[in-house]
Amino acid sequence: QGYRGSEALMAMHTSEATPEPCELDDRDYRCACNFTDPEPDWSSGIQCMFAVEVEIRAGGRSLEKFLKSADPDSLEYADMVKALRVRRLTLGAARVPARLVFALLHALGYSRLKELTLEDLEVTGTYPPPPLEATGPALSALRLRNVSWATGGAWLAQLQQWLKPNLKVLSIAQAHPLAFSCEQLRTFPNLTTLDLSDNPGLGERGLASALCPHKFPALQDLGLRNTGMETPTGVCAVLAAAAVQPHRLDLSQNALRSTTNPGASGCIWPSALSSLNLSFAGLQQVPKGLPAKLSVLDLSRNRLNRAPRPEELPQVENLIIDGNPFPDPGDPQPQESSSSVTRACVHSLLAIGISGTLALL
Ligand SMILES: *[C@@H]1O[C@H](CO)[C@@H](O)[C@H](O)[C@H]1NC(C)=O
Ligand SMILES: *[C@@H]1O[C@H](CO)[C@@H](O)[C@H](O)[C@H]1NC(C)=O
Ligand SMILES: *[C@@H]1O[C@H](CO)[C@@H](O)[C@H](O)[C@H]1NC(C)=O
Ligand SMILES: *[C@@H]1O[C@H](CO)[C@@H](O)[C@H](O)[C@H]1NC(C)=O
């Protein structure tokens, strides 16, 4: 009895030590594979065939050997891909020949895939000649994080040629490199969200070469969190030069300087801009030259050590200002600086400022 028990325990122990690389949830909805074993059991991936969300990580190995079995022109293969339920696919942790990436996109052209995420990939080698018309999937979202491309700045233009032009969301983090070859890039007619967050080396200069003029006509949300931006007015100048007109701009988590140069505040912000995030930006005072009117301004988690004066602030409906070290040390109750108190305080200051301006008029 005791012997059988310990045998069972041992069996349990072994199965814990070498878990199945793939796991499918009970609803057959989400399936995730992590092929970290030196001799991975690739066939375990078959259980992901009918999942809607599929995530595959290849343990950082080269997928070169799959190249010879990739024959996108086989009809059988197309029928199989058509039967897939997958809508969201994540591929990660691998070294992949470019030819395999594009064979995969071609095959996924038969699928109903909507969202593709590529993470921790090294794309090697050169590209096959581009297709005459886009044969890849009609993606609505493409997200890349830590993907490097052997061909340098042409990668986005080449990737774009495989995609049908429905893309609405494009996010590119930890890019190598993030400069795009603008003359090769086509317009993204339906792209509303461009998220370049988490590229700390970008800076205003890098942004100027990433925002290809007139390629993002439908843009509404521009994410520049943690991108090494230095001043809001510098960003304003880049947006103006690129004729990009976002409605919402996220500049949080950048070490921003408040511009003091009066000439710099002459930049004209996009007229549609209604929301600006300057949270976690190390600001000691409200930067000059912000857009005149905003519906949301997030100045939370900065180092503002006194309440901004009304004349320093744009007209804003929803000001978020918690997590700053004011009220002044001279304030009788410094402990009661809750966000709603500071917000109310700033709102009344604003009201005084506005009514003061009206009185002057
Ligand atoms: C995949 O497995 C490796 C090694 O066991 C682990 O470090 C990594 O966090 C896993 N990745 C995911 C997404 O579970
Ligand atoms: C980025 O991806 C490479 C593989 O291409 C990997 O070796 C590296 O650890 C990843 N870096 C981060 C920060 O995850
Ligand atoms: C893309 O935008 C065009 C107009 O620019 C529109 O006619 C078309 O329906 C949009 N396509 C999708 C898939 O949203
Ligand atoms: C601004 O950015 C911070 C940090 O990136 C985030 O936590 C916050 O929710 C954002 N604010 C708004 C109004 O979206």
Side-chain angles (χ1 to χ4, degrees):
Q1 193 81 31
Y3 179 68
R4 292 246 292 275
S6 69
E7 209 174 28
L9 258 178
M10 263 178 69
M12 270 174 70
H13 197 81
T14 3
S15 77
E16 256 173 41
T18 50
E20 274 271 307
C22 297
E23 270 182 48
L24 179 65
D25 70 5
D26 344 326
R27 296 178 302 145
D28 291 354
Y29 189 83
R30 209 188 117 73
C31 190
C33 304
N34 193 358
F35 295 104
T36 47
D37 203 82
E39 292 295 326
D41 175 13
W42 296 108
S43 66
S44 167
I46 292 192
Q47 60 185 301
C48 296
M49 280 278 293
F50 296 103
V52 174
E53 272 184 36
V54 178
E55 188 176 311
I56 297 173
R57 284 170 205 280
R61 63 169 55 74
S62 167
L63 300 183
E64 189 117 24
K65 67 169 188 160
F66 289 100
L67 201 52
K68 57 183 186 302
S69 50
D71 173 14
D73 293 321
S74 140
L75 278 175
E76 243 173 89
Y77 177 70
D79 283 341
M80 195 188 78
V81 175
K82 278 180 200 163
L84 298 178
R85 293 206 303 154
V86 65
R87 295 292 186 280
R88 279 189 285 282
L89 175 65
T90 300
L91 300 173
R95 199 160 66 247
V96 213
R99 282 172 52 93
L100 187 58
V101 172
F102 294 112
L104 180 77
L105 285 175
H106 180 80
L108 289 171
Y110 298 106
S111 76
R112 286 161 291 167
L113 189 70
K114 287 285 162 237
E115 299 185 19
L116 176 65
T117 302
L118 305 176
E119 279 179 356
D120 303 325
L121 293 186
E122 182 188 341
V123 181
T124 60
T126 53
Y127 301 79
L132 288 176
E133 55 181 309
T135 57
L139 294 182
S140 63
L142 175 64
R143 299 187 177 89
L144 298 98
R145 173 173 290 273
N146 185 24
V147 180
S148 67
W149 303 83
T151 43
W155 67 266
L156 182 60
Q158 304 207 353
L159 193 57
Q160 182 187 31
Q161 288 173 343
W162 293 84
L163 303 177
K164 301 196 177 79
N166 311 45
L167 201 64
K168 294 189 180 57
V169 176
L170 175 62
S171 100
I172 305 169
Q174 297 169 29
H176 321 273
L178 191 55
F180 308 135
S181 308
C182 290
E183 60 295 348
Q184 284 168 289
L185 209 62
R186 300 178 195 170
T187 300
F188 286 96
N190 298 65
L191 195 82
T192 54
T193 301
L194 178 63
D195 191 355
L196 303 176
S197 296
D198 294 327
N199 286 291
L202 188 65
E204 273 96 333
R205 283 183 57 179
L207 180 64
S209 53
L211 283 184
C212 299
H214 309 294
K215 304 292 164 136
F216 306 105
L219 198 66
Q220 298 191 0
D221 286 274
L222 180 59
L224 297 174
R225 180 172 30 80
N226 181 26
T227 47
M229 296 300 144
E230 290 175 5
T231 62
T233 41
V235 175
C236 172
V238 176
L239 297 185
V244 167
Q245 298 273 334
H247 300 208
R248 287 167 291 274
L249 176 62
D250 184 354
L251 284 176
S252 65
Q253 299 181 29
N254 287 293
L256 295 176
R257 278 182 288 114
S258 312
T259 327
T260 45
N261 169 13
S265 59
C267 179
I268 298 172
W269 287 91
S271 55
L273 190 68
S274 67
S275 168
L276 179 59
N277 195 338
L278 298 175
S279 178
F280 289 99
L283 291 167
Q284 288 176 298
Q285 58 196 93
V286 179
K288 292 194 173 51
L290 293 182
K293 278 190 191 175
L294 287 169
S295 39
V296 180
L297 174 61
D298 191 342
L299 278 169
S300 63
R301 315 282 151 193
N302 278 296
R303 293 191 283 143
L304 304 177
N305 46 25
R306 59 168 175 75
R309 296 191 192 101
E311 69 271 15
E312 295 173 322
L313 281 174
Q315 282 181 44
V316 44
E317 282 162 30
N318 183 7
L319 178 69
I320 305 161
I321 203 157
D322 54 297
N324 280 288
F326 68 87
D328 289 341
D331 191 288
Q333 287 160 306
Q335 293 314 312
E336 286 188 14
S337 141
S338 86
S339 67
S340 59
V341 170
T342 50
R343 210 176 297 181
C345 168
V346 168
H347 271 275
S348 53
L349 278 173
L350 257 179
I352 296 167
I354 292 165
S355 52
T357 316
L358 287 177
L360 277 175
L361 290 172

PDB file of all heavy atoms in Angstrom, residues 93-110:
ATOM      1  N   ALA A  93       9.347  34.450 -28.063  1.00  0.00           N
ATOM      2  CA  ALA A  93      10.563  33.766 -27.638  1.00  0.00           C
ATOM      3  C   ALA A  93      11.098  32.820 -28.701  1.00  0.00           C
ATOM      4  O   ALA A  93      11.104  31.602 -28.525  1.00  0.00           O
ATOM      5  CB  ALA A  93      10.316  33.038 -26.312  1.00  0.00           C
ATOM      6  N   ALA A  94      11.559  33.368 -29.806  1.00  0.00           N
ATOM      7  CA  ALA A  94      12.125  32.517 -30.858  1.00  0.00           C
ATOM      8  C   ALA A  94      13.003  33.324 -31.795  1.00  0.00           C
ATOM      9  O   ALA A  94      12.913  34.552 -31.847  1.00  0.00           O
ATOM     10  CB  ALA A  94      11.005  31.862 -31.666  1.00  0.00           C
ATOM     11  N   ARG A  95      13.855  32.613 -32.511  1.00  0.00           N
ATOM     12  CA  ARG A  95      14.598  33.216 -33.618  1.00  0.00           C
ATOM     13  C   ARG A  95      13.933  32.669 -34.881  1.00  0.00           C
ATOM     14  O   ARG A  95      13.857  31.453 -35.076  1.00  0.00           O
ATOM     15  CB  ARG A  95      16.065  32.793 -33.536  1.00  0.00           C
ATOM     16  CG  ARG A  95      16.971  33.691 -34.314  1.00  0.00           C
ATOM     17  CD  ARG A  95      18.412  33.585 -33.853  1.00  0.00           C
ATOM     18  NE  ARG A  95      18.956  32.270 -34.146  1.00  0.00           N
ATOM     19  CZ  ARG A  95      19.306  31.374 -33.238  1.00  0.00           C
ATOM     20  NH1 ARG A  95      19.186  31.635 -31.958  1.00  0.00           N
ATOM     21  NH2 ARG A  95      19.791  30.216 -33.594  1.00  0.00           N
ATOM     22  N   VAL A  96      13.397  33.554 -35.719  1.00  0.00           N
ATOM     23  CA  VAL A  96      12.579  33.106 -36.850  1.00  0.00           C
ATOM     24  C   VAL A  96      13.108  33.697 -38.147  1.00  0.00           C
ATOM     25  O   VAL A  96      13.291  34.914 -38.237  1.00  0.00           O
ATOM     26  CB  VAL A  96      11.129  33.624 -36.744  1.00  0.00           C
ATOM     27  CG1 VAL A  96      10.166  32.631 -37.320  1.00  0.00           C
ATOM     28  CG2 VAL A  96      10.752  33.988 -35.343  1.00  0.00           C
ATOM     29  N   PRO A  97      13.305  32.881 -39.167  1.00  0.00           N
ATOM     30  CA  PRO A  97      13.653  33.458 -40.466  1.00  0.00           C
ATOM     31  C   PRO A  97      12.485  34.299 -40.991  1.00  0.00           C
ATOM     32  O   PRO A  97      11.322  33.914 -40.831  1.00  0.00           O
ATOM     33  CB  PRO A  97      13.861  32.243 -41.364  1.00  0.00           C
ATOM     34  CG  PRO A  97      13.932  31.060 -40.457  1.00  0.00           C
ATOM     35  CD  PRO A  97      13.202  31.419 -39.198  1.00  0.00           C
ATOM     36  N   ALA A  98      12.809  35.434 -41.613  1.00  0.00           N
ATOM     37  CA  ALA A  98      11.771  36.313 -42.154  1.00  0.00           C
ATOM     38  C   ALA A  98      10.844  35.529 -43.084  1.00  0.00           C
ATOM     39  O   ALA A  98       9.624  35.740 -43.079  1.00  0.00           O
ATOM     40  CB  ALA A  98      12.424  37.473 -42.901  1.00  0.00           C
ATOM     41  N   ARG A  99      11.400  34.628 -43.858  1.00  0.00           N
ATOM     42  CA  ARG A  99      10.582  33.853 -44.801  1.00  0.00           C
ATOM     43  C   ARG A  99       9.490  33.077 -44.087  1.00  0.00           C
ATOM     44  O   ARG A  99       8.383  32.920 -44.603  1.00  0.00           O
ATOM     45  CB  ARG A  99      11.467  32.877 -45.578  1.00  0.00           C
ATOM     46  CG  ARG A  99      12.261  33.507 -46.699  1.00  0.00           C
ATOM     47  CD  ARG A  99      13.231  32.499 -47.273  1.00  0.00           C
ATOM     48  NE  ARG A  99      12.533  31.255 -47.623  1.00  0.00           N
ATOM     49  CZ  ARG A  99      12.052  31.006 -48.836  1.00  0.00           C
ATOM     50  NH1 ARG A  99      12.238  31.855 -49.802  1.00  0.00           N
ATOM     51  NH2 ARG A  99      11.419  29.870 -49.073  1.00  0.00           N
ATOM     52  N   LEU A 100       9.818  32.594 -42.887  1.00  0.00           N
ATOM     53  CA  LEU A 100       8.811  31.841 -42.136  1.00  0.00           C
ATOM     54  C   LEU A 100       7.725  32.776 -41.592  1.00  0.00           C
ATOM     55  O   LEU A 100       6.534  32.443 -41.606  1.00  0.00           O
ATOM     56  CB  LEU A 100       9.489  31.076 -40.993  1.00  0.00           C
ATOM     57  CG  LEU A 100       8.609  30.110 -40.202  1.00  0.00           C
ATOM     58  CD1 LEU A 100       7.984  29.057 -41.106  1.00  0.00           C
ATOM     59  CD2 LEU A 100       9.392  29.436 -39.091  1.00  0.00           C
ATOM     60  N   VAL A 101       8.125  33.971 -41.151  1.00  0.00           N
ATOM     61  CA  VAL A 101       7.142  34.942 -40.660  1.00  0.00           C
ATOM     62  C   VAL A 101       6.128  35.234 -41.761  1.00  0.00           C
ATOM     63  O   VAL A 101       4.915  35.249 -41.540  1.00  0.00           O
ATOM     64  CB  VAL A 101       7.830  36.263 -40.217  1.00  0.00           C
ATOM     65  CG1 VAL A 101       6.790  37.334 -39.885  1.00  0.00           C
ATOM     66  CG2 VAL A 101       8.739  36.023 -39.029  1.00  0.00           C
ATOM     67  N   PHE A 102       6.623  35.423 -42.987  1.00  0.00           N
ATOM     68  CA  PHE A 102       5.716  35.804 -44.060  1.00  0.00           C
ATOM     69  C   PHE A 102       4.926  34.621 -44.607  1.00  0.00           C
ATOM     70  O   PHE A 102       3.781  34.794 -45.033  1.00  0.00           O
ATOM     71  CB  PHE A 102       6.478  36.585 -45.128  1.00  0.00           C
ATOM     72  CG  PHE A 102       6.954  37.888 -44.555  1.00  0.00           C
ATOM     73  CD1 PHE A 102       8.295  38.131 -44.348  1.00  0.00           C
ATOM     74  CD2 PHE A 102       6.034  38.842 -44.136  1.00  0.00           C
ATOM     75  CE1 PHE A 102       8.718  39.318 -43.763  1.00  0.00           C
ATOM     76  CE2 PHE A 102       6.449  40.019 -43.546  1.00  0.00           C
ATOM     77  CZ  PHE A 102       7.793  40.259 -43.362  1.00  0.00           C
ATOM     78  N   ALA A 103       5.512  33.409 -44.539  1.00  0.00           N
ATOM     79  CA  ALA A 103       4.732  32.223 -44.904  1.00  0.00           C
ATOM     80  C   ALA A 103       3.559  32.084 -43.930  1.00  0.00           C
ATOM     81  O   ALA A 103       2.433  31.756 -44.315  1.00  0.00           O
ATOM     82  CB  ALA A 103       5.618  30.984 -44.871  1.00  0.00           C
ATOM     83  N   LEU A 104       3.851  32.384 -42.650  1.00  0.00           N
ATOM     84  CA  LEU A 104       2.814  32.292 -41.631  1.00  0.00           C
ATOM     85  C   LEU A 104       1.722  33.333 -41.878  1.00  0.00           C
ATOM     86  O   LEU A 104       0.524  33.027 -41.810  1.00  0.00           O
ATOM     87  CB  LEU A 104       3.461  32.509 -40.263  1.00  0.00           C
ATOM     88  CG  LEU A 104       2.515  32.448 -39.086  1.00  0.00           C
ATOM     89  CD1 LEU A 104       2.179  30.996 -38.778  1.00  0.00           C
ATOM     90  CD2 LEU A 104       3.112  33.109 -37.859  1.00  0.00           C
ATOM     91  N   LEU A 105       2.123  34.566 -42.199  1.00  0.00           N
ATOM     92  CA  LEU A 105       1.120  35.608 -42.456  1.00  0.00           C
ATOM     93  C   LEU A 105       0.262  35.235 -43.659  1.00  0.00           C
ATOM     94  O   LEU A 105      -0.951  35.448 -43.660  1.00  0.00           O
ATOM     95  CB  LEU A 105       1.804  36.956 -42.699  1.00  0.00           C
ATOM     96  CG  LEU A 105       2.351  37.646 -41.461  1.00  0.00           C
ATOM     97  CD1 LEU A 105       3.105  38.905 -41.846  1.00  0.00           C
ATOM     98  CD2 LEU A 105       1.235  37.985 -40.480  1.00  0.00           C
ATOM     99  N   HIS A 106       0.908  34.681 -44.662  1.00  0.00           N
ATOM    100  CA  HIS A 106       0.163  34.251 -45.851  1.00  0.00           C
ATOM    101  C   HIS A 106      -0.884  33.197 -45.464  1.00  0.00           C
ATOM    102  O   HIS A 106      -2.053  33.305 -45.837  1.00  0.00           O
ATOM    103  CB  HIS A 106       1.142  33.704 -46.883  1.00  0.00           C
ATOM    104  CG  HIS A 106       0.492  33.230 -48.132  1.00  0.00           C
ATOM    105  ND1 HIS A 106       0.093  34.104 -49.131  1.00  0.00           N
ATOM    106  CD2 HIS A 106       0.133  31.989 -48.537  1.00  0.00           C
ATOM    107  CE1 HIS A 106      -0.465  33.396 -50.102  1.00  0.00           C
ATOM    108  NE2 HIS A 106      -0.462  32.119 -49.768  1.00  0.00           N
ATOM    109  N   ALA A 107      -0.440  32.216 -44.675  1.00  0.00           N
ATOM    110  CA  ALA A 107      -1.365  31.159 -44.243  1.00  0.00           C
ATOM    111  C   ALA A 107      -2.492  31.753 -43.405  1.00  0.00           C
ATOM    112  O   ALA A 107      -3.664  31.400 -43.576  1.00  0.00           O
ATOM    113  CB  ALA A 107      -0.606  30.111 -43.442  1.00  0.00           C
ATOM    114  N   LEU A 108      -2.150  32.695 -42.527  1.00  0.00           N
ATOM    115  CA  LEU A 108      -3.173  33.285 -41.664  1.00  0.00           C
ATOM    116  C   LEU A 108      -4.155  34.141 -42.453  1.00  0.00           C
ATOM    117  O   LEU A 108      -5.204  34.523 -41.945  1.00  0.00           O
ATOM    118  CB  LEU A 108      -2.519  34.116 -40.550  1.00  0.00           C
ATOM    119  CG  LEU A 108      -1.801  33.300 -39.475  1.00  0.00           C
ATOM    120  CD1 LEU A 108      -1.006  34.212 -38.543  1.00  0.00           C
ATOM    121  CD2 LEU A 108      -2.779  32.457 -38.658  1.00  0.00           C
ATOM    122  N   GLY A 109      -3.811  34.441 -43.690  1.00  0.00           N
ATOM    123  CA  GLY A 109      -4.737  35.135 -44.576  1.00  0.00           C
ATOM    124  C   GLY A 109      -6.025  34.338 -44.783  1.00  0.00           C
ATOM    125  O   GLY A 109      -7.071  34.909 -45.087  1.00  0.00           O
ATOM    126  N   TYR A 110      -5.971  33.025 -44.592  1.00  0.00           N
ATOM    127  CA  TYR A 110      -7.175  32.193 -44.708  1.00  0.00           C
ATOM    128  C   TYR A 110      -7.946  32.133 -43.392  1.00  0.00           C
ATOM    129  O   TYR A 110      -9.022  31.570 -43.335  1.00  0.00           O
ATOM    130  CB  TYR A 110      -6.799  30.760 -45.113  1.00  0.00           C
ATOM    131  CG  TYR A 110      -6.130  30.672 -46.452  1.00  0.00           C
ATOM    132  CD1 TYR A 110      -4.759  30.433 -46.562  1.00  0.00           C
ATOM    133  CD2 TYR A 110      -6.873  30.819 -47.625  1.00  0.00           C
ATOM    134  CE1 TYR A 110      -4.144  30.358 -47.788  1.00  0.00           C
ATOM    135  CE2 TYR A 110      -6.264  30.739 -48.861  1.00  0.00           C
ATOM    136  CZ  TYR A 110      -4.901  30.515 -48.940  1.00  0.00           C
ATOM    137  OH  TYR A 110      -4.300  30.443 -50.157  1.00  0.00           O
TER     138      TYR A 110
END
